[in-house]
Each structure stands twice: as C-alpha cells, then as structure tokens.
Amino acid sequence: MSRDKYFEERKRVVDYLVSLGYIKSDKVREALLRVPREEFVPEPYRDLAYVDRPLPIGYGQTISAIHMVAIMTEALDPMPGDKVLEIGTGSGYQAAVLAEIVCKNGGGHVYSIERIPELAEFARRNLDRTGYSDCVTVIVGDGTRGYPEAAPYDRIIVTAAAPDIPKPLIEQLRDGGRMVIPVGDRWVQRLYIIDKKGGKTIIRRSIECLFVPLIGEYGWKY
Ligand code: SAH
C-alpha cells in the first residue's frame, strides 16, 4: 500500500471520529492526521493500522484503538509547550500524538516510561523513523514511581490500567496540572480525569474502558 493510501485511510478514520464526537478539538484532529499509525504497528499489521481497534505489539501488550487515543488525548488537553509524562510507551504512538501538540508547536517535551525493554526499543525505533525522537524521551523502568528526574509535569497520561491512583504520580503533577488514568479492576476500568488545584485533587470519573494492567510497585503486583 502506498503512503498516500495510508493518508487517505487515516483521514477517513479521523473524519469518522470527528463525526462521532470523539475528536473535538483542532489540535487533536491535526495530531491524529499527522502521525502515521502504520509506522507504530508491527509489520504484519501495517494494513490494519486504520482499523479502529487495539492491535498486538508483542509481549502480551497492545497499541490502543484510535478512538481511545482520541478520547485520552482530548481528556488530557495538552497545551503547546507542556512537559508531559506518559506511563506505558508501548509502540510510541500515543507519545508521538502528544509530541505533535506539545513539542512540534511549542517546545514542550514528552517523557515516556516503559517496563519492557524490548518494547521501549521498538518505540524508540518507531519514533526515530517518524521524526519524533527529539520530542520524546523513552525511559525503561517502573512508571508507577513516575520519573522524578524531570518532575513536575503539566500533564500525566497513564495508558495501562491501575488498581488505584499511584501516589508518586500525584506528587509529580504540577499544581494546575492534569492526569488521565484508567482505574479499576483487571477487566474493566473507568477513565479518571484528575485536576490538581491549590494542593487539592479533583477527580472526575469518565467513560468505561479496558486497558492492559499497569504492573509495578504502585500498580498490580503481577
Ligand atoms: N501507549 C501505548 C500503548 C500502551 S499498552 C501506545 O501508544 O502504543 C500499555 C503499556 O504499558 C505496555 O507496553 C506495558 O508494558 C506498559 N506498562 C505496564 N506497566 C508499566 C509500568 N509500571 N511502567 C511502565 N510501563 C508499564
């Protein structure tokens, strides 16, 4: 399939997600139009890149469905120039979408933590090939502890399901910042949108969702 063909497919799915109301803002629309999802899925799945469903990326993990990336990014509401922390790099696709908004337009940066070294390497290669490596730093480690080295963050996004909100992430969120995280049990979660204001945290419980588990010290133990 040619590059143009992928762009046509990308545009079609983005238009559809706009019509459904999942994509609300120009910034999310433009970011999803710019990032080539086919470069973030394993080779055998390239031609399925614009089917709106999660796809396997190896090691029992998945790249999220396109509508879920749209919903998470809209909920996070990243601003140009923001410093963002992502937990669960996976393929690097969500990190690239965030980089389009915060870095390409405003000098911000995305720090993204992945616990599986092979996936971190997969993401680095994908981000490099697509021109996002200056905007995204991929770190191997337990993201439930956050990444204190670059804290505090304007935005924190967790793309794996937590049993509870990891305390270090609240601590590393800047006052006035926002975190989006799926919280619940192993097989169903709610998307929490958490605003930190004046030292208080305000939690809004949004849609139902299903993510792979967040495994670590402040997550699931296995
Ligand atoms: N955002 C990714 C999809 C994430 S899938 C994308 O756009 O492709 C969830 C990822 O979270 C998996 O790769 C899994 O290995 C990782 N993960 C699970 N627990 C983690 C932890 N404690 N720290 C960092 N990464 C974790």
Side-chain angles (χ1 to χ4, degrees):
M1 210 182 291
S2 72
R3 283 199 94 76
D4 289 347
K5 175 80 173 144
Y6 283 126
F7 179 77
E8 289 307 316
E9 291 204 358
R10 185 149 73 240
K11 182 148 186 340
R12 190 142 43 96
V13 73
V14 167
D15 286 348
Y16 184 57
L17 294 176
V18 169
S19 77
L20 293 179
Y22 290 134
I23 297 174
K24 301 180 201 303
S25 64
D26 284 348
K27 64 184 172 189
V28 173
R29 181 175 172 276
E30 276 161 30
L32 287 171
L33 276 179
R34 286 209 181 99
V35 182
R37 192 170 188 260
E38 70 276 11
E39 298 290 343
F40 292 84
V41 301
E43 188 66 37
Y45 298 116
R46 265 179 95 86
D47 284 352
L48 297 178
Y50 296 100
V51 180
D52 186 16
R53 49 165 276 194
L55 290 170
I57 53 173
Y59 309 91
Q61 310 303 321
T62 52
I63 174 174
S64 302
I66 307 171
H67 73 274
M68 192 48 71
V69 174
I71 289 169
M72 298 276 283
T73 312
E74 288 287 5
L76 191 69
D77 193 23
M79 301 291 175
D82 274 355
K83 189 175 12 161
V84 181
L85 177 66
E86 180 192 29
I87 318 300
T89 318
S91 66
Y93 176 71
Q94 172 75 71
V97 169
L98 294 169
E100 270 296 338
I101 298 170
V102 305
C103 177
K104 296 277 178 185
N105 295 317
H109 198 79
V110 180
Y111 294 86
S112 186
I113 313 186
E114 172 56 53
R115 66 181 277 272
I116 300 174
E118 290 84 351
L119 282 179
E121 201 40 54
F122 175 60
R124 282 193 193 108
R125 279 200 307 275
N126 298 339
L127 290 162
D128 203 25
R129 206 175 45 248
T130 48
Y132 293 102
S133 47
D134 289 348
C135 289
V136 182
T137 305
V138 177
I139 301 127
V140 177
D142 176 6
T144 68
R145 297 183 186 143
Y147 185 60
E149 287 84 342
Y153 301 95
D154 302 295
R155 298 287 186 267
I156 299 179
I157 180 170
V158 183
T159 61
D164 234 316
I165 305 163
K167 227 174 153 184
L169 299 186
I170 295 281
E171 285 160 11
Q172 291 171 35
L173 187 63
R174 165 177 82 72
D175 200 63
R178 174 174 290 183
M179 167 154 73
V180 173
I181 175 171
V183 177
D185 67 29
R186 285 294 263 242
W187 300 112
V188 65
Q189 305 96 31
R190 295 285 293 275
L191 197 63
Y192 283 21
I193 304 168
I194 303 164
D195 288 308
K196 189 166 168 181
K197 274 200 191 107
K200 286 192 186 142
T201 49
I202 302 135
I203 302 176
R204 272 179 292 152
R205 289 167 183 79
S206 174
I207 57 154
E208 219 176 85
C209 50
L210 176 58
F211 281 81
V212 295
L214 180 75
I215 297 170
E217 186 180 348
Y218 297 89
W220 296 99
K221 294 292 178 275
Y222 59 94

